[in-house]
Structures are given as structure tokens and as C-alpha cells.
Amino acid sequence: MGRDDIISRCDVEDMIAQGNIITIYNGKVIKMNKWIERHPGGDLLVRHFIGRDSSLEIEVHHSDETMKFMEKFVIGRVQLPWDSFVPPIQGGVFRTKEQQLAESQFDEGVSLTPPDAEVCSSGCDKTSKVPSLKEAVESTQPKTYNEARDKFVEEIESEELKRDLERYPSLDHETQDFVISEFRALHQKMKDLNMFQCNYWGYFREFCRISLLTSISFYLLSKKWYFWSSVFLGLAWHQLTFIAHDCGHQELTHNYQVDNIVGILVANFLGGLSLGWWKNNHNIHHVVTNDPVHDPDIQHLPFFSVSTKLFTDVYSSYYQKIIAYDAFAKFLIRFQNYTYYPILCFGRFNLYRLSWDYLLRGKGPKKGESAWFRYFEIVALLAWFYWYAIILVGRYVDGGWNKFMYVMISHFCTMPVHAQITLSHFAMSTADIGMAECFPQRQLRTTMDVDCPWYFDYVHGGLQFQAIHHLFPRMPRHNYRQAQPYIIEYCKKTGLEYVIYGFTKGSGVVISRLEEIANQAKILAHVTSHLQEEAFEHIAGQIDQEKKNEELAAAVEKKRIEQRNLEAANRANAAAVGM
């Protein structure tokens, strides 16, 4: 098979059904079997593009050198436009050629119901044991509840889907191709304006600001002003997060090795968090944004739910486990609009757990140029623990209560970065409108920006422009404000919606969204309780009726026996008289 040969859709499906890693890039068929385990972004990311046209995603997330390197894996071409398959990791089912042929020849008139599956109308067992009240409720209630829950969730999700389909451009090829072509022009415009070139002056200012915050923290620590020392250390960590973020996207130098080394020094050694874990998590978030089943950035049960889809046990493709909507989650979700900010204060502790889980279990690339980062990260995290926990807190903070307070306050002060990310997504759509939706439309539908004066950008780190960041993940964040007018113009031209709120109003929108989901959880809980009571009463009535029927039958039988005994006695008396 040559690089320019046309590969049919059936052949692509057949190759994927046989376990091949196939994606489409500008009409080219890319087979990544030999590369997936070396992919710096992890194999899970690639699996979300199997069978899909991933052209725009590849272009915005990779350098020109990487895209040239991908030419080595081209095995043919496909006819355009390409209707994307649903990837296997998202539930897509693929057939081999033999299965496709068998299905095409299948006679739809043939019944698939086996003879022994016919419904019994007269020969059923009428003497089955009546269950106990407890057994009856337990066996009937879950089915009733699941049906009611599924219908409840389906109605809410279908309403959200309907709103999105009305608000955003049509999913037909002509409309989506126009949105894509305009985005390519916008992307080129950003290149022409040097928007992808790093503003090192901005990093110099950040270096000065972080150095000042750290110096103040250490000075206050030397004076034993523990509270304010911990506050300034937390603020320094907050600012460091933005630099680590940039390194993870190769925005600093666009050199993979250099940016990762700098990022590990900033994130791991200075901040105690794994850059590799964050990249692995964040890259998935960028390609399946706000998908309740696949995006780990909105999978926060039992504490938060931003979609009614999470009102049931969901198998997370990222965590590769069931995220349970258990009794604890059902209780907490009903108050999530009140617990939102308090729980975010503890967010950094959870990131420690996720960081170590990622590194110790070796979830990152095991081959290729990024494999050695795992060991570098572990050493850097241990070094962070040494200087922060053992030296700084252990030696320089006196007293058990002061140590505890110092740790808590320094971590609580990093909360704004967690609020920053959740603010840009929690209030946005979680509906899945299908594979036909193009990359820029998906990002703008699921992400919002936060408005603030230019002189306040340093507090948000520039990442208040999350929608712009999602459109251009390799663009240095210091250029987002300058790029904003061009994105607004693009949205007006294509009919896309650019959502932006001030921080206060945006926070209100998020709280309202959380309250809406909380209220829906309360309604579902009420429905559950009502259904259980109904099931209880219904089956209790059935059992009571069965008992009455049994008592009546027993009484009738007793009457018959008495009648027979009486008749027998009369016959005996008559016989005696006759003698």
C-alpha cells in the first residue's frame, strides 16, 4: 500500500477493528502503532483520536517539526470530507471486513428471538413463593429507581443538547468546513503577528514578583511571623503554577526537553507537584473538554458534579475506574454550591496524591525522549519535601500548632488557581453533540473567559483567557490579551459564541450552575424516596392481599370440611335409625 493510495472507509474500520492505531490528518491516514508508546503526551491522548479527523488538534498542539516527523507514519489517503468514527475508548464499535460483509448480507426478516424466548401465556408457574416484604422491596426498587433516574437525566441532557444545537453553528459539512477554514486563517494570522513567540520580558517581571514574595515570606519567617510568612509563600506558589503551565505546553522555548526540565524544577522542586501528571491530565482535558465521562478536570465526585450524567456510576476512561455516585456523593452534591470555595482550599493536597500516584505507578511514557523525566520528577519531589517539610516547617516553625497552621495557610492561599480553572468550565456546556463538531466550536462551547483590567492580569496569570488558551494551547499566555480582539472577530464571522464574564459575575454563574445541579440532585433523591415508598406500599399491599386470599381459602376449606363432617354424621344417624 502506497502513501498516496486511497484507503476506503471500510478498510480504515477494518484496520482499527484489528487493533491498529489509526487517525486522519489532512486527508492522510496515520498509523501510529509503533509510536503510541513513545508519544510524549501519553498513549491515552492518542486513543481519543482513533478513527477521527484530528487535523486541527494536531496542528494546534504540535510544532512544525513534529508534524513533519508524523509524515513517516502515513500509509495512505482517504476521501474528504471524512466523517469521524467514535473512538473505541469513547464507546465506538468497529467491524472487521468479514463482519461488515456478514452484516451487509444479513436478512433483516430473520427473527433473532430463539424459540424458548417466547412469552409464556398459559403455562407459567402460578405457585411461586410470595417474597418477604424486605425481599420484594429490595428486588423491585432498584429497577424502578434506575428507570426513573435514567429518564430524569435523559430529559435534562436532551434539553441542554437542544439549546447547544440552537445556539451554535450547524454540524453539516459545509458549515463546519467554513468554521474550520476561518480558524486556519486565524491561526495563520496569529503566526504572522508573532503571537506564538514568548514574551521574555513578561517572565522577567514574574521572576521579580515571585522572588519578592518568597523573600518577604522568608524574612517574616525569620521574625517568627508565621501566619503572614505562610500567606506570602502560598502566593509565590500560586504564581509559580503559571510558569509550570507554560512549560507543560512548551510555550517557554518551544523546545521539548528544555521546557520540561525548567517545568520540573518549577513544579516539582519548588512546588511539590508533578509536571508529568499535570501534562497527562491537562492534555486529555484539552481534547475532550467538559465531557463528564472522559475529562478528568470535571470528574470531582463525591464533592462536585457539573452534569446530571454523573448521577449514576460512570466509568472514567482517564482514571480507568468507576466513579461512584454513592450515598456520600448523593449527600454532598446537594450542598455543593455552599461547599465549592471551602473544598477548593484543600485542592493542592489532592494534587500531591495524584502526583505521587502517577509517578509511582509509572503512568507516563515508558519509552522515548520523555521516559527519563519520571525519575527526575521523583528526585525533585523528594527534594521539595526535604526543603519544605523537614527544613522550613520542621526546623524554622516552632510548636505543633504553628506548624499545622503554616502548612494549612500556605496551601489555602493557592486556592485561586483552582477557582480559576473551574470558573472557566464548570458553568459551560457538558453536552456531547457528536463527532461532527469541529475543534474550535467544541472549545468555545465548553470554555469561557474572565474579564478583568490589564493591570490585574498578574493575579490570574493571564489564564483568565481560558477560551483563547484552548484555541491556541501553544501560545504564551502573555499574548492572550493582545490576541483577544481577533478571536472576538472570528466568533462574529462564524456565528460562534465567545463567552466572557467579569470575575464576580462569572463566579455567580458557576455557583448558580452548581446550585442547579444540587437542586436536581435533591429532586432525584426525593423521587428515589417516593419510588421506594410506593414500591413498599404496593408490594406490602400485594402481600397483604395474598395473606387475605390465603385466609379466605383456609376459611372456605374449613367450611367445606365442616360440611362434609356434618353430612357424614347425618348419614351415620340415618343409617342407625334405619336399623
Side-chain angles (χ1 to χ4, degrees), residues 24-26 49 53-62 67 176-177 179-185 187 437-441 470-471 473 490:
I24 310 301
Y25 170 59
N26 289 338
F49 291 108
D53 185 340
S54 54
S55 304
L56 287 183
E57 287 87 345
I58 290 174
E59 290 172 7
V60 301
H61 283 94
H62 297 87
M67 286 186 283
Q176 291 294 298
D177 286 347
V179 175
I180 291 171
S181 64
E182 290 298 318
F183 180 77
R184 290 188 188 277
H187 193 220
E437 183 181 34
C438 66
F439 167 76
Q441 181 165 319
H470 272 252
L471 291 175
Y490 164 72

Side-chain angles (χ1 to χ4, degrees), residues 34-46:
K34 296 181 179 179
W35 176 245
I36 186 169
E37 62 182 6
R38 296 176 177 269
H39 185 252
D43 68 304
L44 192 62
L45 180 64
V46 176

Side-chain angles (χ1 to χ4, degrees), residues 459-512:
V459 174
H460 296 285
L463 291 181
Q464 75 272 25
F465 295 112
Q466 274 288 303
I468 300 174
H469 169 59
H470 272 252
L471 291 175
F472 304 109
R474 287 173 59 84
M475 179 185 290
R477 57 190 164 84
H478 301 99
N479 298 333
Y480 292 162
R481 184 173 289 277
Q482 187 179 350
Q484 185 186 36
Y486 300 98
I487 279 75
I488 294 175
E489 180 183 351
Y490 164 72
C491 289
K492 290 179 179 178
K493 191 171 185 179
T494 57
L496 293 170
E497 185 176 356
Y498 175 65
V499 181
I500 183 168
Y501 294 106
F503 184 82
T504 302
K505 186 174 181 179
S507 297
V509 172
V510 170
I511 296 298
S512 296

Side-chain angles (χ1 to χ4, degrees), residues 4-169:
D4 294 324
D5 291 345
I6 297 296
I7 302 176
S8 71
R9 184 175 182 83
C10 292
D11 287 333
V12 171
E13 182 178 0
D14 175 68
M15 286 189 286
I16 296 174
Q18 295 182 41
N20 292 291
I21 311 299
I22 304 293
T23 192
I24 310 301
Y25 170 59
N26 289 338
K28 302 173 184 178
V29 180
I30 311 293
K31 183 178 179 181
M32 299 186 65
N33 295 28
K34 296 181 179 179
W35 176 245
I36 186 169
E37 62 182 6
R38 296 176 177 269
H39 185 252
D43 68 304
L44 192 62
L45 180 64
V46 176
R47 296 188 185 280
H48 280 288
F49 291 108
I50 293 178
R52 292 179 53 187
D53 185 340
S54 54
S55 304
L56 287 183
E57 287 87 345
I58 290 174
E59 290 172 7
V60 301
H61 283 94
H62 297 87
S63 64
D64 292 339
E65 292 76 13
T66 300
M67 286 186 283
K68 290 179 182 178
F69 175 76
M70 288 183 61
E71 293 289 334
K72 296 168 57 177
F73 303 99
V74 175
I75 62 171
R77 307 184 69 87
V78 293
Q79 295 283 357
L80 295 177
W82 176 260
D83 291 320
S84 293
F85 287 108
V86 177
I89 195 173
Q90 297 182 21
V93 178
F94 293 81
R95 305 160 299 168
T96 62
K97 281 186 176 180
E98 291 76 12
Q99 291 170 327
Q100 295 175 46
L101 180 61
E103 288 188 21
S104 67
Q105 296 175 343
F106 180 73
D107 182 3
E108 295 183 357
V110 177
S111 173
L112 295 179
T113 305
D116 58 356
E118 296 296 323
V119 178
C120 174
S121 60
S122 60
C124 298
D125 183 7
K126 302 289 188 179
T127 62
S128 58
K129 176 188 174 185
V130 177
S132 69
L133 183 59
K134 181 175 183 292
E135 291 172 339
V137 172
E138 288 179 347
S139 63
T140 304
Q141 187 271 334
K143 181 180 177 182
T144 308
Y145 164 69
N146 288 342
E147 291 175 350
R149 178 203 61 203
D150 292 345
K151 183 179 180 181
F152 178 79
V153 171
E154 182 181 352
E155 289 178 353
I156 294 173
E157 295 299 323
S158 62
E159 187 62 32
E160 182 178 22
L161 177 61
K162 180 181 177 181
R163 288 198 303 267
D164 281 2
L165 292 174
E166 291 174 350
R167 288 172 56 188
Y168 289 89

